C-alpha cells in the first residue's frame, strides 16, 4: 500500500480533444496558478453615451442643436439645461439622434457672461452631458 505524503493535494488536468481523447502531462503543483473565484453580476454594464451641442455657447433664449450616440435603440432621450428639462427626442435604431433643437431657458439670462452650464441627455440609466457657456 502506498502512503500519501502530507501536504496540499496534487491537481492533475486532463483535457479532451474534439476529435478524440488526448491526455496532457501531469501538472506540476508548483506551476498551478491559484484558483480564482468568478463573481458575476446580474446588472448589465451601462453603455457609454456621448452628447454634443452646436453651438457650444450662446445667450439665454437662444437655440442649441444637440446630437448624440450610445443611447438605447428607439429610446426616449430627455434633455436638460442645468437640471431643467428643455426637450426630448427618440433615438434611432442604433441609438443616435442628430441636430435636435432645444432652447436655453430665458431664466438664465441673469447669469454672468462666461458662466458654464451643463446640458444633459438621459434615456433610462444612460446619461451624457456637454458643457455650454452663456454669452451676452
Amino acid at each position: 500500500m502506498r502512503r500519501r505524503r502530507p501536504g496540499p493535494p496534487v491537481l492533475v488536468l486532463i483535457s479532451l480533444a474534439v476529435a478524440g481523447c488526448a491526455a496532457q502531462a501531469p501538472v506540476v503543483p508548483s506551476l498551478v496558478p491559484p484558483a480564482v473565484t468568478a463573481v458575476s453580476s446580474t446588472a448589465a454594464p451601462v453603455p457609454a453615451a456621448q452628447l454634443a451641442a452646436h453651438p457650444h455657447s450662446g445667450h439665454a433664449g437662444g437655440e442649441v442643436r444637440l446630437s448624440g450616440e450610445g443611447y438605447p435603440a428607439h429610446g426616449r432621450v430627455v434633455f436638460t439645461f442645468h437640471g431643467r428639462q428643455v426637450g426630448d427626442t427618440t433615438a434611432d435604431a442604433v441609438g443616435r439622434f442628430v441636430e435636435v433643437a432645444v432652447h436655453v431657458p430665458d431664466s438664465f439670462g441673469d447669469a454672468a457672461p462666461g458662466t458654464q452650464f451643463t446640458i444633459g441627455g438621459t434615456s433610462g440609466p444612460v446619461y451624457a452631458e456637454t458643457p455650454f457657456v452663456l454669452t451676452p
Side-chain angles (χ1 to χ4, degrees), residues 23-119:
Q24 289 184 336
V27 176
V28 179
S30 63
L31 300 178
V32 175
V36 177
T37 303
V39 177
S40 72
S41 171
T42 56
V46 177
Q50 296 179 351
L51 182 66
H54 182 75
H56 302 291
S57 61
H59 62 279
E63 185 177 272
V64 182
R65 295 196 173 269
L66 303 174
S67 298
E69 62 183 33
Y71 288 91
H74 306 290
R76 179 177 179 237
V77 182
V78 176
F79 302 117
T80 55
F81 186 91
H82 198 66
R84 178 179 290 167
Q85 187 172 338
V86 292
D88 62 31
T89 193
T90 301
D92 65 13
V94 293
R96 294 184 186 147
F97 53 88
V98 179
E99 299 285 318
V100 177
V102 298
H103 287 88
V104 176
D106 289 322
S107 59
F108 290 93
D110 293 337
T115 302
Q116 181 172 306
F117 291 96
T118 300
I119 298 175

